[in-house]
Amino acid sequence: MSTILLTGATGAVSSAVIQALQGAGHRLIGLVRDPAKAAHLGIELRTGDLSYLRTIETAFEGVDTAWVLTPPGPNAPIQSSNAVWAARLGGVKHVVRMSAIGAAHDAPNLNSRLHALSDSELVGSGMTYTIVQPHFFMQNLMMAAQSIAEQGTIYFALGDAKIPMIDVRDIASTVAAILANPAPHAGKTYTLTGPAAVTMAQVAAAIGEALGKPVTYVPVPVAAAVDSFTKMGLDDYNQVALRDYLTSYSRGWKSDVTSSVKDITGTQARGIGEFARVYFK
Ligand SMILES: NC(=O)c1ccc[n+]([C@@H]2O[C@H](COP(=O)([O-])OP(=O)(O)OC[C@H]3O[C@@H](n4cnc5c(N)ncnc54)[C@H](OP(=O)(O)O)[C@@H]3O)[C@@H](O)[C@H]2O)c1
């Protein structure tokens, strides 16, 4: 059994990873900014802020395997750099990093280019690593929950794009399997997708079936979508990130399905129907 430290412990992905690892006999340590916010996780906690190296320089001591997840934003590269450096200082044996679909220096969107910087830094660090690059989270669809409930409509700026979206629970079980036994995954980068590429019309049909009432997809122009989020206070970085994601997906970017979840966990990733039946019942 090993000692595993997880960053982003209070967030969507890492909290699900913690849940997937609990009870398997590992010593789990959450690295958090505010321990009070993380008390419900029921694991050992260390305090630090990824943006400030001095607050995390000793946080990785005694850790075998580290899970490095940074929140999306312009500071992600420095936060990831700090975490990887602190992991080195602490003598960590293997770093597993949360990246994103299509991370590359020439990717057509900002978030993927920033993730590529951090992926490259980890690969070049000389540390043993594994990188996961998940696709669009199915849980992102919950931002349409209100219009679905009130109008039976999903407004999204994805045209008729086919997206192999993935349930966060499948990202978590895959990451947990890697953290529990990292050696076979050393030096690997995995693209994680759901079992099928689906259009938003298919998403609407699946949610409608789960709810037992018709749900319609209404495509909106990318500029209109970004405009409405801007009016709700979306900052400049996220306006650009959102615009570029919606544009690239609408043009068919990254629609291939991979078998990585099944290959690593032995279990098929959940499809959109299964997601909808749990989240929209
Ligand atoms: N959404 C998608 O479709 C998608 C797809 C592929 C990849 N991704 C990637 O997934 C990652 C986000 O994962 P998520 O959805 O689980 O994130 P999340 O729910 O927003 O959680 C972010 C976590 O980071 C912590 N955090 C924020 N600032 C911090 C700091 N300065 N120092 C230490 N911890 C800090 C937060 O803790 P506090 O409690 O302190 O705030 C929280 O635990 C991003 O890298 C994103 O690019 C997303």
Side-chain angles (χ1 to χ4, degrees), residues 167-255:
D167 192 310
V168 164
R169 293 171 295 173
D170 291 316
I171 302 172
S173 59
T174 307
V175 169
I178 296 169
L179 291 169
N181 182 24
H185 307 289
K188 304 255 173 71
T189 297
Y190 297 111
T191 297
L192 307 182
T193 74
V198 290
T199 62
M200 288 305 292
Q202 289 171 310
V203 168
I207 295 172
E209 202 173 310
L211 289 171
K213 65 170 196 179
V215 173
T216 311
Y217 167 49
V218 175
V220 297
V222 169
V226 174
D227 195 42
S228 76
F229 280 106
T230 302
K231 287 191 178 113
M232 289 188 267
L234 195 70
D235 63 25
D236 183 75
Y237 171 87
N238 282 297
Q239 289 169 35
V240 174
L242 179 67
R243 181 199 64 188
D244 292 354
Y245 262 129
L246 294 172
T247 304
S248 42
Y249 287 142
S250 300
R251 291 178 180 159
W253 184 71
K254 299 292 167 197
S255 58

Side-chain angles (χ1 to χ4, degrees), residues 15-165:
S15 62
V17 174
I18 290 166
Q19 225 178 349
L21 283 169
Q22 265 163 338
H26 302 286
R27 178 183 171 202
L28 303 179
I29 303 172
L31 176 58
V32 297
R33 291 189 292 184
D34 178 358
K37 258 179 88 179
H40 66 281
L41 294 169
I43 62 169
E44 187 178 336
L45 299 172
R46 291 181 184 172
T47 307
D49 187 321
L50 297 177
S51 294
Y52 302 99
L53 183 59
R54 283 178 293 186
T55 70
I56 61 168
E57 273 172 338
T58 58
F60 291 74
E61 282 172 5
V63 170
D64 299 308
T65 310
W67 165 242
V68 173
L69 176 145
T70 52
N75 294 327
I78 191 169
Q79 291 168 338
S80 182
S81 181
N82 286 342
V84 170
W85 187 252
R88 176 193 291 271
L89 294 178
V92 169
K93 300 184 190 89
H94 192 127
V95 174
V96 184
R97 200 188 108 70
M98 175 71 162
S99 178
I101 183 70
H105 296 307
D106 62 350
N109 63 73
L110 183 53
N111 195 49
S112 295
R113 289 195 298 279
L114 292 193
H115 270 301
L117 293 176
S118 301
D119 289 356
S120 294
E121 183 177 17
L122 178 58
V123 170
S125 71
M127 296 187 74
T128 304
Y129 71 89
T130 306
I131 295 170
V132 295
Q133 300 182 329
H135 216 300
F136 182 103
F137 299 173
M138 288 180 186
Q139 278 74 3
N140 297 342
L141 298 167
M142 298 312 291
M143 67 177 80
Q146 193 177 347
S147 69
I148 290 169
E150 290 172 4
Q151 306 165 35
T153 306
I154 303 183
Y155 300 96
F156 242 95
L158 284 167
D160 56 5
K162 296 185 82 160
I163 301 181
M165 48 187 77

